[in-house]
Amino acid sequence: MPNPRPAPDFWILFPTLMILAIGIVMVYSASAVLALHDFGDSFYYLKRQLFFAILGLAGMAFMMRLDYRQLKSVANAALIAGFVLLVLVLIPGIGVVRGGARSWLGIASFGIQPSEFMKLAMVLFAAKTLAENPSRIVSLRRGLLPMLALLGAAFGLIMLQPDLGTGAVLVGATMMVLFAAGARIRHLAGLGVLGLAGLAALIAAAPYRLRRITAFLDPWSDPLGAGYQAIQSLYAIGPGGLVGLGLGMSRQKYNYLPEPQTDFIFSIIAEELGFIGASAVVLLFFLLVWRGMRTAIAAPDLFGSLLAVGIVGMIAVQVVINIGVVTGLLPVTGITLPLVSAGGSSLTLILASIGILLNISRHAR
């Protein structure tokens, strides 16, 4: 196995730091008014973002130096811990309800989202299991179904919170790992049809999800209810034009657009920095995903390759869903923009995950 390079892939590190820096600036710009109103401190969200960014960068630096192959030994324990946390968060008195979902464990404004931890744990376990016996994945009964049973259990627990957005990222990233490991297309296609049928049933079973679908098709049918977020997001994006209204000059952040510092921060970017600024963010994500996939291709072993695919999948799927929601291309679902939105556990874990990706790039052929 080749000796690691003295430095990781610059073209993974560069877009990561650039997106993180843009995120810190935009979190302050998007949240200053809201933070002053709610907490009497316009820097409240900025200080939190800086704290978790520093914590995440420390995690990234640590994971970048820890040989990624050592993670095999903790894959099983990480998955078990993920399931335990997902169960604990559902217990009243232990799990904390925020934004209508019981998704948090913690005290006051600090906490962790077990679903965020589970995304990395599931990808790590899948990469380790499939790398140990790669030929099993071609078998529906012995290879694919056991993995999908675990994935389905994790997705089900996340949906009990409920958190469809994070569940979709978990499923999307894991399915990318299964596909890269050699799962047969016909198996994945058949299970995909069943998955869509199950998703339709989940939507039909919850009135608020059905309202989101109808609002997605015609947000003006309920402009003050289910269609409100989509309409206000487009009101932010439209006036931005080519170059934007200017940094800090957003109008929608004045209590018009819900969650401007988290789920809909890309709308504020488009409003203040315009098409050019929003496109720059998208291009930086594209560069990160592209170099991450190159790292997966050049990884020295199957475990590293599958792990890189899973981490890139976590980022790519979440970016596509978030930007799709804020631009009106997808129904509204609560999910943040990686590295940009205000966050705690999500920001820390995504930076630590990119640290693993950088570690793999040091060993790449």
Side-chain angles (χ1 to χ4, degrees):
M1 193 167 291
N3 293 323
R5 297 199 301 268
D9 188 342
F10 172 80
W11 294 109
I12 293 176
L13 184 61
F14 171 73
T16 298
L17 297 179
M18 285 295 295
I19 296 168
L20 181 63
I22 291 170
I24 290 171
V25 172
M26 292 310 303
V27 162
Y28 173 69
S29 179
S31 68
V33 174
L34 180 65
L36 184 62
H37 177 270
D38 292 347
F39 304 102
D41 179 6
S42 61
F43 296 98
Y44 176 81
Y45 288 106
L46 173 63
K47 289 185 286 190
R48 281 177 52 88
Q49 191 75 352
L50 285 171
F51 172 79
F52 286 111
I54 293 170
L55 187 63
L57 287 171
M60 184 174 76
F62 175 77
M63 298 307 299
M64 189 166 57
R65 287 166 173 76
L66 178 71
D67 191 333
Y68 70 91
R69 287 162 291 198
Q70 296 182 30
L71 295 175
K72 291 181 183 179
S73 61
V74 300
N76 292 0
L79 186 69
I80 293 171
F83 275 111
V84 170
L85 291 174
L86 286 180
V87 171
L88 286 176
V89 80
L90 295 174
I91 301 175
I94 298 179
V96 178
V97 178
R98 296 180 188 172
R102 191 180 297 277
S103 304
W104 295 82
L105 292 172
I107 301 173
S109 60
F110 288 90
I112 63 168
Q113 280 183 284
S115 55
E116 293 288 339
F117 176 80
M118 182 49 119
K119 289 190 297 187
L120 180 58
M122 182 63 71
V123 162
L124 176 61
F125 178 81
K128 175 248 185 187
T129 302
L130 297 173
E132 287 179 343
N133 196 343
S135 62
R136 290 182 61 181
I137 193 62
V138 299
S139 169
L140 179 63
R141 183 176 59 84
R142 295 188 304 111
L144 190 56
L145 285 181
M147 284 302 307
L148 290 179
L150 287 172
L151 178 60
F155 179 75
L157 288 171
I158 292 173
M159 288 305 300
L160 290 175
Q161 297 177 6
D163 188 352
L164 180 59
T166 302
V169 175
L170 172 74
V171 171
T174 307
M175 293 301 287
M176 288 178 65
V177 175
L178 297 177
F179 175 76
R184 292 181 175 177
I185 298 295
R186 68 173 184 270
H187 291 164
L188 293 177
L191 292 168
V193 172
L194 292 176
L196 288 175
L199 181 61
L202 286 172
I203 293 172
Y208 81 93
R209 293 193 195 112
L210 194 57
R211 286 195 298 270
R212 286 183 176 181
I213 295 297
T214 56
F216 162 66
L217 298 174
D218 181 15
W220 288 102
S221 63
D222 189 9
L224 297 179
Y228 181 79
Q229 290 175 304
I231 292 171
Q232 296 303 319
S233 179
L234 295 177
Y235 276 165
I237 294 171
L242 184 63
V243 296
L245 301 178
L247 185 62
M249 301 304 293
S250 166
R251 300 164 187 158
Q252 289 300 105
K253 67 185 179 185
Y254 286 88
N255 289 327
Y256 294 106
L257 180 64
E259 306 295 340
Q261 80 281 11
T262 54
D263 298 357
F264 286 90
I265 196 169
F266 190 77
S267 304
I268 305 298
I269 292 174
E271 185 182 14
E272 294 189 351
L273 306 182
F275 177 79
I276 293 175
S279 296
V281 172
V282 172
L283 287 174
L284 286 169
F285 274 118
F286 179 81
L287 177 59
L288 174 58
V289 169
W290 170 57
R291 293 301 295 192
M293 293 308 296
R294 282 180 59 91
T295 295
I297 293 170
D301 59 358
L302 184 58
F303 172 68
S305 181
L306 296 178
L307 184 55
V309 167
I311 292 171
V312 172
M314 286 165 47
I315 298 169
V317 174
Q318 189 162 337
V319 169
V320 168
I321 293 176
N322 178 271
I323 295 180
V325 166
V326 302
T327 55
L329 298 176
L330 292 173
V332 172
T333 181
I335 194 168
T336 57
L337 187 61
L339 300 172
V340 179
S341 296
S345 56
S346 58
L347 178 61
T348 305
L349 280 168
I350 202 69
L351 283 170
S353 300
I354 292 174
I356 299 173
L357 188 62
L358 288 166
N359 186 292
I360 298 171
S361 76
R362 296 183 65 208
H363 295 80
R365 293 189 295 269

